[in-house]
Amino acid sequence: MVVASRCSYACDPGSCCTWMQAVSGPSHSTGVPPSTTERTTTRVTTTEAPSTTAPPSTTAPPSTTAPPSTTKEVTTVVTTTPESTTKEVTTMQSTTEASTTEARTTVVSTTVTSTVPSTTEAPSTTEEVTTTVVYTTTPESTTVEETTTVLSTTEESTTGPPSTTEKSTTRVTTTEAPSTTAPPSTTAPPSTTAPPSTTAPPSTTAPPSTTKEVTTVVTTTPESTTKEVTTVESTTEASTTEARTTVVSTTVTSTVPSTTEAPSTTEEVTTTVVYTTTPESTTVEETTTVLSTTEESTTAAPTTTETTTVRVSTTEAPSTTAPPSTTEEITTTVVSTTPESTTTQTTTVKSTTVQPTESTTIVSTVGTTTVPSTTGVPSTTEEVTTTTVISTTPEVSTTEKVTTVVSTTEASTTEVPPTTTERTTTHVVTTKEPSTTAQPTTTEEVYTTVVTTTPESTTEERTTAQSTTEMETTRASTTREVTTTAGLTTAELTTIAVTSSTPQQTTTEELTTVLVTTLAGTTAAPTTTETTTVRLSTTEAPSTTAPPSTTEEITTTVVSTTPESTTTQTTTVKSTTGASTTEKTTTQTTSKIATTIPSTSTAPTTTEKKTTIVVSTTTPESTTEEETTTIATTQESTTEAPSTTLGLSTTALPSTTAQPSTTKEVTTVVSTTPEATATETTTVETTTLISTTEELTTTTIVTTQERTTVPTTTETPSTTEEVTTTTLITTSPELTTTEESTTVVTTTQAPPTTGLITTEAPSTTVKETTKVTTEGPTTVKSTTTEKVTTSEGTTVTVTETTTEGGTTVTVTTAGNGPPPVCKFNDQEYNKGEFIPTGRPCTVLICGEDGNIIPEDVICNRTCPNGKLLEVSPDRCCPVCVPNEEDCFFRKHPNYVVIDECLSEGRIPYTDCEGTCGSNTRVTMLPYPNIKFNCGCCKPSKLEQNYVTMKCNNGTQFVHPYYEIKACSCSSCEYDPMETLIANRIVFP
């Protein structure tokens, strides 16, 4: 490596020395392209001949007759790497001129950097930086004007438009000449971001210093053009009493999109900062205004938001009589204008801190007013005032915060008064530091008062909450009182919670009392309800021999007093959860006792006790829940007659075959009164089956209820009523069908006339009700059939209700006597029911007056280029088998039969029949291979449609089916379901 250096020490102002290096003999490894850098510098210095009275000197400013001096330097750097080639050309020209009044030096520097990547995928970039600095010195002042322009261009591709960013900055600094007593410092001009130092204020004769800087940034992309202009002007003045620095910054940003659909935005930010320093205090006043405008289109009104913030901060120095203090006040005004309304929000925050007691007071006020553009919309006003006082001493730290919110809504400007809500919240937090004798404690108190005034009533709500934490125990109490003037209602809520923690367990005890009083009038007695809840929760930590367990006990007592009676209801719920390696068991016991004491002595006193025990056991295979309920009702002197409810619910975990889940519950209730004894047994069995293929969910609920009433006296007849309800719910993505059938059998046993001999036969009434509801996206159709059979005859009532959109149509048809039936193979069928025959080509339907209507199936027996084959005896129509290779489409109409349900009409049965070519090919080049080509006759166009099925029990449902539209020879791997077209369900 050979290095040659050359330096000219006769440098003029603004010029510099340049080193030149020439690198020879680069070395690189074989196969890797080299990285080279070539640097060329050309420097030309021209100095005119001096006059006889003033020879040039590089160390002293030129004389009045000194000629100008010019230096020009051009540097070119070319860097080549395997990734790209970068070329940087720097041109610097410095000119110094002098006259009898001033000296001026101009330095122009231009740097152009271009980067061209080796590949076409990477973008090419070009950056041009031009800097012009003019130094002007006069006996009165010194001015430095600096202009910088940066132009960046990025070309992503050769076809798309480039992205350019142009940034221009002009900065002018003027410093007046100092007096003889205090020359200014030219090496440290004031900064635009920081105030002058308060420890070294300028002298009484120091002149002001002004700096002005203008920056323009223009960014052009294929989407939009953005222009940002920033102007910063800083002025520093000093006097015998204070030093003041004023900084004014204005930024205007405009974005104009390339397309007319996108909105254009303009934002103007103006900031004025005034720093004032005196021996007593330092004040900083900052005003910021932000104006944002968005134009959605050229015709619509723009949306504007103007935010003005004034911040004043004053710090007073300490004196012998007063401690140091800091005061800060911030005022923010936001005005938002839209085509709908104008919203004005004013926020004022004042903060004062006094030392050494560390007392801080913060007052915050927020006022928001919204005025709509139209007169029909109400205007709203909200004012929020927050006062925070923070006091800190070595012993106690206290924070007190008071917040008041006043909201006003004016319904109209004429008759209706406005609606106002005033909410006041006081929050006090006190923390005591620990000592050698006492542990640290924290006390928190919250007081809230809400007053709501409407044209109808006035409601006042008071809430008091107090929480104390000491070591491992936390005690919290809450009291809430609500008073409504119009309804004369008062509600009081008190909550006390105590939490204790030890290494072995955690216990939480919570007591809640709710007292509600309602005055019906000035003379009537009030109605009161008092609810008391005690909640005790204990969690034991796990040990090496026992897993963790949780016990929770909740006791609720409700006392309701009305002018008629007093009711006391006590509910106790105890829950215990334990776990083992194989299962998790939860036992919950609920005991509920309700006692009603009437105000008068004639009405009996009633007591009801209900006890429910639920045991839930969970294993990896299933979840079993066993529920036992006992109800005992006592009225006056009647002895208790307990009843037991046994419910066993087993839910299996889901599997791939979707096993059904079944829940069965049996309830027996025995009620004894002075008149009779009633026994009621209810059995509810619920089965849910989810289909994993057709997205159908079927839920079957069978409810059987038997009620027997045996009177105490022999004159009153005994009755037995048996109710059986079967509900079938079918849910699909398109619709939900609910079918509910109810049968009520009532038997009345007449009392015997003499001894045990009954002279009158019992009478029986049978009432059968069937209700079918089909819910679609826009249509709900319900059909209810009621059939009542007595010894006199049978009455049938059919009610059909159809709701579509917002219209409901109800049609009711009633008839007496049994309807005609069709008899076939010793079976009876009603009108319209399907009669199964066992013959695949014949369909029988029960018609009018008991006649049977046959419906024959018509088969397509055409078979071009082939023959018909009967594939099975249970198939009505034969299959066409072609003699040669062919694939064709066939269809014929037929009914759909599912159990005892028949389709509403014939649907097309479609087939793809025929054979397709198959072959196997062996190739030898470029390497041995064997390829199998298999052809299958498959649908090329497939649709999914729906048909309505009507059943013999009066229900109906929608059944999906596939319909082939065309066939062709395809690859055996082709799946026609990938191109399936699912049509929508059309309701009749």
Side-chain angles (χ1 to χ4, degrees):
M1 177 180 295
V2 180
V3 179
S5 63
R6 176 171 60 93
C7 180
S8 175
Y9 294 94
C11 298
D12 295 321
S15 64
C16 63
C17 297
T18 304
W19 289 87
M20 295 182 57
Q21 295 182 354
V23 182
S24 62
S27 61
H28 54 80
S29 60
T30 305
V32 179
S35 298
T36 61
T37 301
E38 180 179 354
R39 181 185 183 98
T40 305
T41 303
T42 303
R43 181 174 183 181
V44 179
T45 302
T46 303
T47 304
E48 297 186 5
S51 63
T52 56
T53 58
S57 173
T58 58
T59 60
S63 65
T64 56
T65 58
S69 175
T70 302
T71 301
K72 184 175 182 181
E73 182 175 297
V74 180
T75 302
T76 303
V77 180
V78 180
T79 303
T80 303
T81 65
E83 291 78 17
S84 62
T85 301
T86 302
K87 181 177 182 181
E88 180 179 311
V89 180
T90 303
T91 304
M92 180 179 291
Q93 182 171 348
S94 175
T95 304
T96 302
E97 298 180 0
S99 65
T100 56
T101 58
E102 63 180 16
R104 176 174 297 178
T105 300
T106 303
V107 180
V108 180
S109 174
T110 303
T111 302
V112 180
T113 304
S114 301
T115 302
V116 181
S118 303
T119 61
T120 58
E121 290 78 7
S124 61
T125 60
T126 303
E127 184 180 68
E128 181 176 352
V129 181
T130 304
T131 303
T132 304
V133 183
V134 180
Y135 304 90
T136 304
T137 304
T138 64
E140 292 79 13
S141 62
T142 299
T143 302
V144 179
E145 182 176 354
E146 180 178 351
T147 303
T148 302
T149 302
V150 181
L151 179 60
S152 302
T153 304
T154 301
E155 294 185 3
E156 296 291 341
S157 62
T158 56
T159 58
S163 298
T164 62
T165 301
E166 182 177 356
K167 180 177 182 180
S168 300
T169 303
T170 302
R171 181 172 182 177
V172 180
T173 303
T174 303
T175 305
E176 297 184 5
S179 62
T180 56
T181 59
S185 174
T186 60
T187 59
S191 173
T192 59
T193 59
S197 174
T198 59
T199 58
S203 66
T204 57
T205 58
S209 175
T210 302
T211 301
K212 184 176 182 181
E213 181 176 343
V214 180
T215 302
T216 303
V217 180
V218 180
T219 304
T220 303
T221 64
E223 291 78 19
S224 62
T225 300
T226 302
K227 182 177 181 181
E228 179 178 303
V229 180
T230 303
T231 304
V232 180
E233 185 172 353
S234 176
T235 304
T236 302
E237 299 179 359
S239 65
T240 57
T241 57
E242 63 181 17
R244 176 173 297 178
T245 300
T246 304
V247 180
V248 180
S249 174
T250 303
T251 302
V252 180
T253 304
S254 301
T255 301
V256 180
S258 303
T259 60
T260 57
E261 291 78 7
S264 61
T265 59
T266 302
E267 183 181 68
E268 181 176 350
V269 181
T270 303
T271 303
T272 303
V273 184
V274 180
Y275 305 90
T276 304
T277 304
T278 65
E280 292 79 17
S281 63
T282 300
T283 303
V284 179
E285 182 176 354
E286 180 178 348
T287 304
T288 302
T289 302
V290 181
L291 179 61
S292 301
T293 304
T294 302
E295 295 185 3
E296 297 291 340
S297 62
T298 57
T299 57
T303 300
T304 62
T305 301
E306 182 176 357
T307 304
T308 304
T309 303
V310 179
R311 180 174 181 177
V312 180
S313 177
T314 303
T315 302
E316 295 186 0
S319 63
T320 56
T321 59
S325 64
T326 301
T327 302
E328 185 178 40
E329 185 173 350
I330 302 175
T331 303
T332 303
T333 303
V334 180
V335 181
S336 301
T337 303
T338 64
E340 291 78 19
S341 62
T342 299
T343 302
T344 304
Q345 181 175 351
T346 303
T347 304
T348 302
V349 180
K350 185 175 182 181
S351 175
T352 303
T353 303
V354 180
Q355 296 177 351
T357 59
E358 293 293 338
S359 176
T360 302
T361 303
I362 301 175
V363 181
S364 175
T365 303
V366 179
T368 304
T369 303
T370 300
V371 180
S373 302
T374 59
T375 57
V377 182
S379 60
T380 59
T381 302
E382 184 181 66
E383 183 176 351
V384 182
T385 304
T386 303
T387 304
T388 306
V389 180
I390 304 174
S391 301
T392 304
T393 64
E395 294 81 16
V396 180
S397 176
T398 303
T399 302
E400 182 175 353
K401 183 177 181 181
V402 181
T403 302
T404 303
V405 181
V406 181
S407 302
T408 304
T409 302
E410 296 185 3
S412 63
T413 57
T414 56
E415 299 178 358
V416 181
T419 299
T420 62
T421 301
E422 182 175 353
R423 183 186 184 96
T424 303
T425 303
T426 303
H427 193 177
V428 181
V429 179
T430 303
T431 303
K432 292 184 180 180
E433 294 295 329
S435 62
T436 56
T437 59
Q439 298 295 332
T441 61
T442 300
T443 302
E444 183 176 12
E445 298 182 17
V446 180
Y447 307 93
T448 303
T449 302
V450 180
V451 180
T452 304
T453 303
T454 64
E456 293 78 19
S457 64
T458 299
T459 301
E460 182 175 354
E461 178 180 343
R462 292 186 178 90
T463 303
T464 303
Q466 184 174 359
S467 175
T468 303
T469 302
E470 183 174 0
M471 282 294 290
E472 298 173 347
T473 302
T474 300
R475 180 182 179 87
S477 62
T478 302
T479 303
R480 180 180 179 187
E481 182 179 351
V482 181
T483 303
T484 302
T485 304
L488 301 178
T489 300
T490 303
E492 184 175 348
L493 170 66
T494 303
T495 302
I496 300 176
V498 179
T499 302
S500 302
S501 298
T502 64
Q504 291 77 30
Q505 64 182 13
T506 300
T507 302
T508 301
E509 183 175 356
E510 181 177 342
L511 172 63
T512 303
T513 303
V514 181
L515 178 61
V516 180
T517 304
T518 302
L519 296 177
T522 56
T523 58
T527 299
T528 62
T529 301
E530 183 176 356
T531 304
T532 303
T533 303
V534 179
R535 180 172 182 176
L536 181 62
S537 176
T538 303
T539 302
E540 296 184 0
S543 63
T544 56
T545 58
S549 64
T550 301
T551 301
E552 185 177 42
E553 184 174 347
I554 302 175
T555 302
T556 303
T557 303
V558 180
V559 180
S560 301
T561 303
T562 65
E564 293 76 18
S565 63
T566 300
T567 301
T568 304
Q569 178 174 315
T570 303
T571 304
T572 303
V573 180
K574 186 175 181 180
S575 177
T576 303
T577 301
S580 65
T581 56
T582 57
E583 62 181 18
K584 178 180 179 182
T585 303
T586 300
T587 304
Q588 180 174 329
T589 305
T590 304
S591 177
K592 183 176 181 181
I593 302 175
T595 303
T596 302
I597 302 176
S599 303
T600 60
S601 59
T602 57
T605 300
T606 303
T607 302
E608 183 183 68
K609 183 177 181 181
K610 180 178 181 180
T611 303
T612 303
I613 301 177
V614 180
V615 180
S616 177
T617 304
T618 302
T619 65
E621 291 77 19
S622 63
T623 299
T624 303
E625 183 174 304
E626 183 176 351
E627 179 177 344
T628 303
T629 302
T630 303
I631 301 177
T633 303
T634 304
Q635 187 172 357
E636 289 187 347
S637 60
T638 304
T639 59
E640 294 185 358
S643 63
T644 304
T645 300
L646 298 178
L648 182 60
S649 173
T650 302
T651 303
L653 296 179
S655 63
T656 56
T657 57
Q659 295 293 333
S661 62
T662 303
T663 302
K664 184 176 182 180
E665 181 176 350
V666 180
T667 304
T668 303
V669 179
V670 179
S671 302
T672 303
T673 64
E675 291 77 19
T677 299
T679 304
E680 180 178 338
T681 303
T682 303
T683 303
V684 180
E685 184 172 354
T686 304
T687 304
T688 302
L689 177 62
I690 301 176
S691 175
T692 58
T693 57
E694 300 182 1
E695 299 183 359
L696 295 177
T697 302
T698 304
T699 302
T700 304
I701 304 174
V702 180
T703 303
T704 303
Q705 186 178 31
E706 183 177 352
R707 184 185 299 109
T708 303
T709 303
V710 179
T712 306
T713 61
T714 57
E715 290 79 8
T716 306
S718 61
T719 58
T720 301
E721 184 180 62
E722 183 177 351
V723 181
T724 303
T725 303
T726 303
T727 304
L728 178 63
I729 303 174
T730 304
T731 304
S732 67
E734 292 80 14
L735 52 80
T736 300
T737 302
T738 303
E739 177 186 347
E740 181 177 346
S741 301
T742 303
T743 303
V744 181
V745 180
T746 305
T747 303
T748 303
Q749 180 69 48
T753 55
T754 59
L756 299 178
I757 301 176
T758 303
T759 58
E760 184 178 352
S763 62
T764 303
T765 301
V766 179
K767 180 179 179 181
E768 299 179 7
T769 304
T770 303
K771 183 178 180 180
V772 180
T773 303
T774 303
E775 298 182 9
T778 60
T779 304
V780 178
K781 188 175 182 180
S782 176
T783 303
T784 303
T785 303
E786 183 179 272
K787 181 179 179 181
V788 180
T789 303
T790 62
S791 58
E792 288 79 12
T794 302
T795 303
V796 179
T797 304
V798 180
T799 304
E800 293 185 358
T801 303
T802 303
T803 302
E804 186 171 2
T807 305
T808 302
V809 179
T810 303
V811 179
T812 302
T813 304
N816 295 326
V821 296
C822 300
K823 292 185 178 181
F824 184 82
N825 290 340
D826 297 331
Q827 297 289 333
E828 293 184 355
Y829 300 92
N830 296 321
K831 172 188 173 182
E833 291 183 349
F834 159 69
I835 302 176
T837 62
R839 299 191 297 270
C841 294
T842 302
V843 175
L844 301 181
I845 300 176
C846 182
E848 297 283 350
D849 301 328
N851 58 332
I852 299 177
I853 302 175
E855 292 284 349
D856 293 332
V857 176
I858 302 175
C859 296
N860 184 2
R861 295 188 175 275
T862 61
C863 185
N865 194 19
K867 61 181 178 179
L868 296 175
L869 293 180
E870 300 290 343
V871 293
S872 61
D874 59 347
R875 182 183 176 96
C876 179
C877 297
V879 177
C880 178
V881 178
N883 296 327
E884 299 178 359
E885 179 181 322
D886 195 6
C887 178
F888 54 89
F889 163 74
R890 299 174 72 250
K891 72 174 181 178
H892 64 275
N894 200 353
Y895 286 97
V896 179
V897 178
I898 301 177
D899 296 332
E900 293 190 358
C901 303
L902 184 67
S903 61
E904 199 172 32
R906 298 176 188 265
I907 67 168
Y909 276 65
T910 56
D911 299 305
C912 281
E913 299 178 354
T915 60
C916 297
S918 302
N919 57 70
T920 302
R921 298 184 184 277
V922 176
T923 58
M924 302 302 297
L925 295 177
Y927 48 84
N929 187 23
I930 183 170
K931 184 178 181 182
F932 304 97
N933 297 317
C934 177
C936 295
C937 183
K938 292 189 176 183
S940 59
K941 185 177 181 182
L942 184 63
E943 293 184 0
Q944 179 177 345
N945 297 318
Y946 301 87
V947 63
T948 301
M949 304 292 296
K950 293 187 176 181
C951 304
N952 291 346
N953 57 4
T955 63
Q956 62 181 13
F957 62 93
V958 175
H959 180 68
Y961 68 93
Y962 297 116
E963 182 178 353
I964 301 174
K965 294 294 185 178
C967 301
S968 64
C969 287
S970 305
S971 172
C972 292
E973 290 80 9
Y974 166 69
D975 185 6
M977 300 300 291
E978 296 178 355
T979 59
L980 175 66
I981 301 176
N983 298 321
R984 298 184 60 183
I985 300 177
V986 179
F987 292 94

